[in-house]
Amino acid sequence: MRYPFNNYYGIYSLHIYTPIISYIMLKSKLLNHNNLCVSSLNTKVTDSSPLIAMNCLQAISYSDNRSIFKLHSKGMITTVNGDKCIQSLHLSDNIELTDCAKANVFGDDREKWTVDYEGKIVSIKHDNVCIGIDLNDNNDILPLHTLDIKVNSEQNDNKHKAIHAFTLGDN
């Protein structure tokens, strides 16, 4: 509202902001490990469920959205399965999943993140804490040999033979 016109103020400019949810995968940018994605162990996420790194194609092949997250305009990153927030408790701890309402009660923004200009996902609570993959901790990385795909075909018309459901590498 700028200047009065006939003793009334008028709206000069109006901006409307709406909440946005983006569906994302959190993928490593490490040179030799750029095929690793952040994922939950399975679809049964609960409070304090761990997050692990797994081969991105492997995570997608499970077809259960374990590596798909929702990025909210308010800064929260939640799982698609179970709507649990990723939270950063302390500088030295791993990130973990928790109920968003429980994390919000503390009022310290432990469940909120921001994406900087380089693509780093930085904690609002601790500005020097980023979501990353620790290659030195083997417990955080799911080995590829655990990939177990079972296929079958319910169509008995010779057009739906499930020979190769998923392949990795050049072969």
Side-chain angles (χ1 to χ4, degrees), residues 100-112:
C100 297
K102 288 181 185 176
N104 193 23
V105 166
F106 292 97
D108 59 0
D109 291 334
R110 63 181 61 193
E111 76 286 4
K112 294 186 179 172

Side-chain angles (χ1 to χ4, degrees), residues 15-23 70-76:
H15 299 270
I16 298 174
Y17 297 93
T18 61
I20 296 174
I21 298 175
S22 300
Y23 290 87
K70 293 188 279 188
L71 178 62
H72 300 258
S73 57
K74 294 181 179 180
M76 296 178 298

Side-chain angles (χ1 to χ4, degrees), residues 13-159:
S13 179
L14 178 65
H15 299 270
I16 298 174
Y17 297 93
T18 61
I20 296 174
I21 298 175
S22 300
Y23 290 87
I24 60 171
M25 287 182 76
L26 303 173
K27 186 176 178 187
S28 171
K29 290 177 70 175
L30 294 172
L31 209 50
N32 296 329
H33 299 282
N34 61 355
N35 60 340
L36 291 177
C37 287
V38 175
S39 176
S40 61
L41 282 172
N42 53 41
T43 58
K44 297 178 181 88
V45 290
T46 60
D47 287 355
S48 302
S49 285
L51 291 170
I52 59 167
M54 111 174 18
N55 180 287
C56 297
L57 291 176
Q58 179 182 4
I60 292 169
S61 73
Y62 285 115
S63 298
D64 59 7
N65 295 329
R66 67 180 65 196
S67 62
I68 306 293
F69 295 90
K70 293 188 279 188
L71 178 62
H72 300 258
S73 57
K74 294 181 179 180
M76 296 178 298
I77 301 174
T78 60
T79 58
V80 171
N81 301 320
D83 269 338
K84 299 290 182 182
C85 279
I86 297 176
Q87 72 172 349
S88 167
L89 291 175
H90 306 289
L91 291 171
S92 61
D93 287 348
N94 292 334
I95 56 175
E96 64 180 23
L97 297 174
T98 191
D99 185 73
C100 297
K102 288 181 185 176
N104 193 23
V105 166
F106 292 97
D108 59 0
D109 291 334
R110 63 181 61 193
E111 76 286 4
K112 294 186 179 172
W113 302 85
T114 185
V115 181
D116 75 2
Y117 65 94
E118 294 178 337
K120 294 180 197 162
I121 301 173
V122 183
S123 170
I124 290 180
K125 179 180 179 183
H126 306 290
D127 60 359
N128 55 348
V129 171
C130 297
I131 294 179
I133 296 171
D134 184 2
L135 296 174
N136 297 320
D137 190 353
N138 291 332
N139 293 328
D140 287 344
I141 298 178
L142 188 67
L144 192 59
H145 62 78
T146 61
L147 180 65
D148 185 21
I149 299 292
K150 292 182 173 54
V151 295
N152 62 21
S153 177
E154 295 181 11
Q155 300 293 328
N156 206 5
D157 59 3
N158 291 329
K159 294 179 183 176

